[in-house]
Amino acid sequence: MAVPVLPLIDIAPLLADPDSQASAIVARQIDDACRDLGFFRVVGHGIDPALQPALEVASHSFFDRPEGAKAAIAMEHGGRAWRGWFPVGGELTSGVPDQKEGIYFGSNHSANHPRVRSGVPLHGKNLFPAEPADLEPLVESWIDQVAHVGLAILRGIARGLELAPQWFDDNLVSDPTVLFRIFHYPPGDDATWGVGEHTDYGLLTVLAQDECGGLQVRLDDDWIDVPPEQGVFVCNLGDMIERLTEGRYRSTVHRVRNTSGRSRLSFPLFLDPSWDAVVPVMPLAGSPPADDPARRWDGSSVRLWEGSYGHYLTTKVARVFPALVASMHDEPAQP
């Protein structure tokens, strides 16, 4: 049997005009991928081809430094913003330490931002090292360009569901929660997981991986490898899409194992609902599939969850960094 391959979709029409007939064809391709796999690959995104190689060089330069130097931007310095560097084993998946290190970034918020002043988690300034000095402008450019692409893909998803292309803009992402990570996976083996089985939390993840590969996606009872391809982004759906569509679309389990013998980098950008958004059920035709929490990796039902997206995200991230959360528990909010 042939090994399944994630669909490859040219999204250039969505960026040019989400209302065009060409975009309607792209939207149908995205809809098919979302119903079948919850993962797909995209080209035609228009992102500067020189940006990823430059970001890889700067990222390697940072991660190659001694831990003492990297600790200058450790996450404990970011406080409630949960920004900065964490060491190998500092992040948990299902209570198990991941064999990766990384840097957390997001939308930059000034000290006068209302949510920063109120001490809302995941809001604040990004932390950047003094060296390499070019990491900061590269990260800022990456977030701007990839978030723009992600919003265009959401318009394609809306149209594929036979809603107005602007449905997400009007209902969930007027002020999106944009989070970006740079992950470094040291060389591992067949017994070592860079990150274990999980699903993402929000709407859409847009991922670039370096030439080492290592990403695996679960398809029914099998795992398929997602090989790296220059200029190709991997997209997958998060839990909130599964809730919005009442299970018509899948938030698919994936994992990473670095057996390349080299240091691996990955660059996921998470495009999520606005912080205060209460995630509704989409007005879709027909009956949804039956809810089956046992199908999910964690045995939970995102379709039964209620509340703001900020609350959902805070609860999830608190399980990833429990020690960090505990250290901030009694920290007073900013005046």
Side-chain angles (χ1 to χ4, degrees):
M1 294 180 62
V3 177
V5 176
L6 301 186
L8 181 65
I9 302 172
D10 185 343
I11 62 168
L14 290 176
L15 290 160
D17 181 3
D19 294 302
S20 69
Q21 183 57 38
S23 290
I25 296 172
V26 175
R28 285 196 294 272
Q29 294 172 336
I30 292 176
D31 181 66
D32 288 342
C34 291
R35 292 178 189 272
D36 291 343
L37 291 173
F39 265 82
F40 53 94
R41 300 170 296 151
V42 300
V43 293
H45 45 70
I47 293 173
D48 182 355
L51 185 54
Q52 182 174 338
L55 186 57
E56 289 184 14
V57 170
S59 298
H60 276 301
S61 175
F62 174 79
F63 290 120
D64 286 345
R65 295 172 187 271
E67 288 212 351
K70 292 183 283 192
I73 61 162
M75 290 187 71
E76 54 261 32
H77 300 308
R80 281 184 167 83
W82 290 354
R83 309 292 171 86
W85 170 78
F86 66 89
V88 174
E91 183 172 282
L92 307 181
T93 299
S94 298
V96 178
D98 295 336
Q99 296 306 299
K100 71 175 187 296
E101 61 180 323
I103 318 175
Y104 270 46
F105 301 104
S107 299
N108 248 331
H109 304 108
S110 72
N112 289 324
H113 190 285
R115 293 189 186 132
V116 175
R117 292 176 63 86
S118 298
V120 175
L122 287 159
H123 288 75
K125 290 188 65 64
N126 289 324
L127 302 181
F128 290 100
E131 296 293 338
D134 59 345
L135 185 62
E136 180 172 358
L138 289 168
V139 165
E140 290 178 345
S141 181
W142 187 273
I143 291 174
D144 287 344
Q145 293 190 40
V146 179
H148 176 71
V149 169
L151 289 169
I153 294 171
L154 287 180
R155 293 173 192 128
I157 289 174
R159 193 163 183 189
L161 289 166
E162 299 184 353
L163 300 173
Q166 300 294 319
W167 191 91
F168 284 98
D169 301 75
D170 294 340
N171 292 277
L172 284 178
V173 293
S174 59
D175 180 20
T177 303
V178 178
L179 304 171
F180 174 53
R181 316 291 189 232
I182 301 177
F183 290 139
H184 168 236
Y185 298 80
D189 53 37
D190 289 337
T192 304
W193 289 109
V195 57
E197 299 180 26
H198 67 286
T199 56
D200 294 341
Y201 309 140
L203 295 173
L204 178 71
T205 303
V206 184
L207 169 75
Q209 52 179 341
D210 72 4
E211 62 182 9
C212 293
L215 173 63
Q216 297 181 333
V217 175
R218 192 171 76 187
L219 178 60
D220 296 324
D221 294 327
D222 297 319
W223 290 91
I224 61 174
D225 293 313
V226 183
E229 302 167 279
Q230 186 175 8
V232 178
F233 283 78
V234 179
C235 296
N236 66 276
L237 308 179
D239 293 345
M240 292 300 100
I241 288 280
E242 186 164 324
R243 170 175 167 74
L244 283 162
T245 63
E246 294 186 285
R248 294 172 176 86
Y249 283 2
R250 300 172 56 181
S251 177
T252 303
V253 173
H254 49 288
R255 65 189 185 186
V256 174
R257 174 177 277 161
N258 181 20
T259 58
S260 67
R262 294 173 290 167
S263 292
R264 175 187 188 264
L265 294 172
S266 71
F267 306 97
L269 182 135
F270 305 93
L271 185 58
D272 295 352
S274 302
W275 186 262
D276 296 324
V278 175
V279 179
V281 171
M282 283 176 145
L284 303 177
S287 299
D291 191 10
D292 182 12
R295 181 184 64 81
R296 281 181 53 88
W297 67 286
D298 57 358
S300 68
S301 172
V302 294
R303 290 165 61 176
L304 295 177
W305 169 82
E306 294 183 356
S308 70
Y309 179 67
H311 177 69
Y312 183 83
L313 181 58
T314 302
T315 300
K316 292 292 186 179
V317 177
R319 296 174 184 172
V320 174
F321 293 110
L324 180 64
V325 175
S327 70
M328 298 187 310
H329 184 70
D330 295 322
E331 179 183 310
Q334 297 183 34

